């Protein structure tokens, strides 16, 4: 038994030919993805967009999409990571979220989600030199970063 995806990501997946099931039907499927959170649905979307596999199926144990760690997350995009690859991935994700309709190839009026821009302050016990190196590193990836002194904050 197959169920239809709902919401903006679901419409985009269906437009690309992907299917979603809650309990059965994987026998005739080329690619099965377990978990209908942000990662599982995005992998399914990217596979379908690229025409990889004749069929893509996403299984979710919950009653709805994004009920697991996706739904329980704080839904922030942070760029402060140890590895450059992670900074690049979050920068790519930021571009996708801030251009959601284009990313999903859906008209804005049909989407159920939107990006809300906020700001953040990363508090560290690092020296000014280390903090400046980190800010420079983030700027190389296009992430606006400033080092503030205690006088700048209070």
């Amino acid at each position: 038994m197959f169920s239809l995806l709902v919401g903006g990501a679901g419409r985009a997946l269906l437009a690309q030919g992907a299917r979603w099931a809650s309990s059965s039907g994987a026998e005739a499927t080329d690619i099965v993805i377990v978990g209908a959170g942000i990662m599982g649905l995005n992998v399914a979307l990217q596979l379908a967009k690229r025409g990889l596999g004749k069929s893509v199926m996403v299984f979710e144990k919950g009653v709805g999409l994004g009920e697991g760690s996706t739904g329980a997350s704080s839904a922030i995009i942070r760029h402060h990571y140890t590895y450059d690859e992670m900074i690049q991935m979050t920068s790519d994700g930021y571009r996708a979220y801030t251009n959601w309709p284009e990313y999903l190839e859906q008209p804005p009026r049909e989407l159920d989600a939107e990006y809300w821009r906020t700001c953040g302050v990363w508090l560290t016990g690092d020296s000014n030199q280390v903090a400046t190196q980190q800010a420079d590193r983030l700027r190389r990836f296009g992430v606006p970063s400033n080092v503030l002194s205690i006088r700048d904050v209070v």
Side-chain angles (χ1 to χ4, degrees), residues 75-96:
I76 64 167
I77 299 174
R78 71 179 179 98
H79 297 282
H80 193 272
Y81 286 97
T82 302
Y83 300 106
D84 288 352
E85 295 82 4
M86 292 299 294
I87 298 172
Q88 185 62 57
M89 286 174 58
T90 58
S91 296
D92 294 344
Y94 175 79
R95 280 189 291 284

Side-chain angles (χ1 to χ4, degrees), residues 109-151:
R109 69 187 185 292
E110 294 183 18
L111 298 177
D112 296 335
E114 62 182 288
Y115 176 78
W116 291 50
R117 184 168 189 225
T118 61
C119 66
V121 176
W122 188 268
L123 303 175
T124 177
D126 293 333
S127 68
N128 190 53
Q129 178 184 5
V130 171
T132 300
Q133 289 171 344
Q134 288 296 326
D136 290 344
R137 182 171 166 250
L138 291 171
R139 283 192 290 270
R140 284 196 303 274
F141 287 92
V143 179
S145 303
N146 296 305
V147 176
L148 305 174
S149 71
I150 190 71
R151 286 183 218 92

Side-chain angles (χ1 to χ4, degrees), residues 31 53 69 73 98 114 120 132 146 152:
I31 299 170
S69 60
S73 80
T98 55
E114 62 182 288
T132 300
N146 296 305
D152 295 326

Side-chain angles (χ1 to χ4, degrees), residues 28-49:
T29 301
D30 291 328
I31 299 170
V32 173
I33 297 169
V34 178
I38 190 68
M39 297 301 284
L41 291 178
N42 191 50
V43 167
L45 175 64
Q46 295 306 316
L47 289 169
K49 278 183 170 184

